[in-house]
Amino acid sequence: MKKVIPITLLTGYLGSGKTTLLNYVLTNQQGYKVAVIVNDIGEVNVDASLIAKGGIVNDTEGSLVPLQNGCICCTLKEDLMKQIADLAASDKFDYILIEASGICEPVPIVQTIEVLSQATKRYNLPCEIRLDNVVSVVDALRLVDEFGSGRELLKEELDEEDIENLIIQQIEFCNKIIINKASEVSKEQMEEVKAVVRAIQPEAEILEADYGKVALDKILNTSSFNFEKASMSAAWIKQLNEPTHEHEEECEHNHNDEDECHCHEEGHECHCHDHDADCKKQHNECHCHEHNHEEHNHKGHCHCHHHHGEGECLEYGIDTFVYTKRQPFNKQKFINFMENFPKSVIRAKGVIWVSADEENMYMFEQAGKQKNAMNVGPWVASLPKQEQEIILLENADIRADWRDDVGDRIIKLVFIGKHMNKHQIIKDLNNCLE
């Protein structure tokens, strides 16, 4: 049986504490011969220098590999593969720790390692490699500033938009999240941070830490990473894959100025509630959608019926919903909406249909201030009839959402945010329709 070398990948934004965590693991681990790959975008690999200076790894044995002047998620992909292969072939190590640059996206790195792990013969490796753990290190203070009080992030190498986008992507794709600098925020702030993280990434294990001090069995040889599970674990993916229900044009119920409409008209049935003072006091703002069709009692008290997806009564005003329509957006109207995007939305992603291009599906993505819509290929409905029939026969999900008049064309957008005015967002989106 071939020797198997596990790999732990550490991701997280600049200053979150990845190097501190790495040093802590290296200082306290017992029984492993660990090789370390450290990526830095600059000419000087500062993190590698800090590790070497501490004498934690023996650089004379080649156990510390600095990769600099680029990112291992893009320009240094091949270098990363070569270094992992060389370390495995040396037969000196039984574990590899990789610290990604703070501006790296995790998905391409994981894909690179997965490709290598499935190609041991091609690279003549005497042993196999296995991606064991993908750990995202999150700075509690930064999340308090970004998602809690709403203050703008301080500029570093990148624009603020990119900072927000990267932090969210690093949270979305991992199987373990370490919220670092825990003692530097209040208990209430930490709970809010965890609520935000959980709203973005509902599956990963969350650990609190100071100076990266966590149980080593949470970092090393955990056998906890599964690529397919991680790929589907982000909250927006889970909600996007839920059964489709369309929003009606207008709410059939009248709401006074004090009532906030939470009509999502699922199945063409309105789920509006009059929220009494007791409910508002208990939940701050009620986001019950009563998917099980139970009603409030005669006193008007709210009974939250948790639904695994849209409309969970989450703490700290953090909530989610899915906007769905089977008619297209007007391109210019949607561009205007994007330019005035609601600041309460932390994350939005999904597919859109625009009247200016009936042939192609577009993927809309928003994280922080960054927003874009990308052509991701043709709708099945725009393909030749013979191809349509084959695809529908082989794909139950597409078949279930197929309509004779529009085929698979649809608008389906997931929104995750804090104190969102969902009624207004839905109204504004409806105003973008043709």
Side-chain angles (χ1 to χ4, degrees):
M1 182 180 292
K2 282 188 176 182
K3 177 181 177 182
V4 178
I5 298 179
I7 297 176
T8 292
L9 172 65
L10 303 180
T11 71
Y13 193 66
L14 302 166
S16 60
K18 296 188 302 299
T19 304
T20 303
L21 170 64
L22 182 60
N23 280 334
Y24 175 75
V25 173
L26 292 172
T27 302
N28 291 278
Q29 61 85 18
Q30 301 262 341
Y32 290 107
K33 296 176 182 177
V34 180
V36 179
I37 298 174
V38 183
N39 178 215
D40 202 303
I41 60 169
E43 293 183 5
V44 178
N45 199 320
V46 176
D47 290 344
S49 300
L50 289 172
I51 295 167
K53 186 177 180 181
I56 298 169
V57 292
N58 187 349
D59 200 30
T60 60
E61 296 182 358
S63 58
L64 178 61
V65 180
L67 293 177
Q68 57 204 60
N69 281 325
C71 292
I72 56 176
C73 66
C74 47
T75 58
L76 298 181
K77 271 186 179 181
E78 290 186 9
D79 289 9
L80 175 62
M81 293 180 77
K82 182 180 183 304
Q83 293 300 338
I84 293 173
D86 288 349
L87 289 170
S90 72
D91 201 28
K92 295 179 180 177
F93 310 104
D94 52 24
Y95 211 100
I96 298 175
L97 282 170
I98 302 174
E99 180 189 344
S101 163
I103 64 167
C104 278
E105 298 174 10
V107 175
I109 305 171
V110 170
Q111 289 173 333
T112 299
I113 298 170
E114 288 287 301
V115 167
L116 184 60
S117 69
Q118 295 168 17
T120 53
K121 290 183 179 179
R122 176 183 172 189
Y123 290 92
N124 296 315
L125 296 180
C127 59
E128 296 179 3
I129 62 169
R130 169 175 58 83
L131 185 52
D132 176 76
N133 207 3
V134 177
V135 181
S136 178
V137 184
V138 172
D139 184 335
L141 280 173
R142 174 157 255 143
L143 256 71
V144 166
D145 287 343
E146 182 178 354
F147 296 121
S149 59
R151 291 190 294 273
E152 292 185 354
L153 295 172
L154 296 175
K155 287 187 177 181
E156 296 188 27
E157 287 83 355
L158 299 174
D159 292 334
E160 293 165 359
E161 298 95 312
D162 295 315
I163 291 173
E164 294 169 349
N165 185 46
L166 275 167
I167 291 173
I168 288 170
Q169 288 192 50
Q170 290 163 352
I171 291 172
E172 282 184 334
F173 195 87
C174 65
N175 61 286
K176 200 162 277 102
I177 296 169
I178 296 177
I179 303 179
N180 205 24
K181 308 178 187 178
S183 65
E184 297 184 42
V185 299
S186 68
K187 183 178 179 181
E188 179 73 10
Q189 287 173 327
M190 175 56 75
E191 291 304 312
E192 184 172 9
V193 165
K194 288 195 290 187
V196 169
V197 168
R198 185 55 73 210
I200 297 170
Q201 168 51 271
E203 295 293 328
E205 181 180 3
I206 297 176
L207 306 169
E208 297 178 31
D210 284 305
Y211 304 103
K213 295 180 180 179
V214 295
L216 294 185
D217 61 4
K218 297 294 185 179
I219 303 295
L220 301 176
N221 210 16
T222 64
S223 298
S224 59
F225 182 76
N226 179 285
F227 182 81
E228 300 223 352
K229 184 177 179 182
S231 299
M232 300 298 292
S233 64
W236 71 267
I237 296 176
K238 287 183 170 295
Q239 295 200 34
L240 201 62
N241 288 333
E242 287 188 354
T244 298
H245 303 287
E246 295 177 50
H247 293 80
E248 292 184 0
E249 294 289 343
E250 301 291 340
C251 176
E252 297 175 0
H253 293 246
N254 294 322
H255 301 276
N256 60 37
D257 292 337
E258 294 180 357
D259 290 331
E260 181 179 355
C261 177
H262 296 292
C263 303
H264 297 300
E265 292 94 24
E266 302 197 337
H268 303 287
E269 180 178 349
C270 178
H271 300 297
C272 308
H273 319 306
D274 292 327
H275 304 304
D276 69 349
D278 290 342
C279 175
K280 288 180 179 178
K281 183 177 181 182
Q282 181 179 356
H283 297 287
N284 187 24
E285 183 180 56
C286 178
H287 299 293
C288 309
H289 300 299
E290 301 183 343
H291 288 266
N292 59 2
H293 306 295
E294 292 183 21
E295 296 180 355
H296 289 77
N297 64 25
H298 296 299
K299 294 182 181 180
H301 293 138
C302 173
H303 300 291
C304 297
H305 305 296
H306 284 235
H307 178 69
H308 297 295
E310 178 178 347
E312 284 195 4
C313 292
L314 301 178
E315 294 181 297
Y316 305 102
I318 300 163
D319 197 18
T320 67
F321 73 97
V322 182
Y323 176 86
T324 306
K325 280 289 182 181
R326 299 307 292 257
Q327 63 188 102
F329 282 140
N330 174 284
K331 180 179 178 181
Q332 188 55 53
K333 288 180 179 179
F334 187 68
I335 289 173
N336 294 339
F337 172 80
M338 285 175 27
E339 291 175 349
N340 298 280
F341 203 81
K343 295 180 179 178
S344 59
V345 177
I346 296 170
R347 180 65 154 148
K349 194 163 183 176
V351 295
I352 60 173
W353 167 21
V354 293
S355 59
D357 185 357
E358 293 280 341
E359 299 295 307
N360 294 298
M361 174 193 301
Y362 286 78
M363 176 67 76
F364 172 75
E365 181 170 7
Q366 172 271 341
K369 297 177 184 177
Q370 181 169 311
K371 300 171 287 290
N372 64 74
M374 180 184 299
N375 184 331
V376 291
W379 296 104
V380 175
S382 67
L383 298 174
K385 190 73 174 177
Q386 188 174 0
E387 288 186 46
Q388 287 183 25
E389 291 173 354
I390 294 172
I391 292 171
L392 288 171
L393 186 64
E394 295 176 349
N395 293 271
D397 291 344
I398 297 176
R399 193 166 61 247
D401 277 345
W402 189 268
R403 274 188 16 180
D404 290 339
D405 54 344
V406 298
D408 60 327
R409 295 183 182 94
I410 194 170
I411 297 168
K412 195 169 186 181
L413 293 170
V414 178
F415 289 84
I416 303 170
K418 183 176 180 183
H419 297 306
M420 293 184 293
N421 186 338
K422 290 180 283 189
H423 177 54
Q424 186 62 50
I425 294 172
I426 291 168
K427 182 178 179 182
D428 290 344
L429 288 170
N430 284 344
N431 289 335
C432 296
L433 297 169
E434 288 284 18

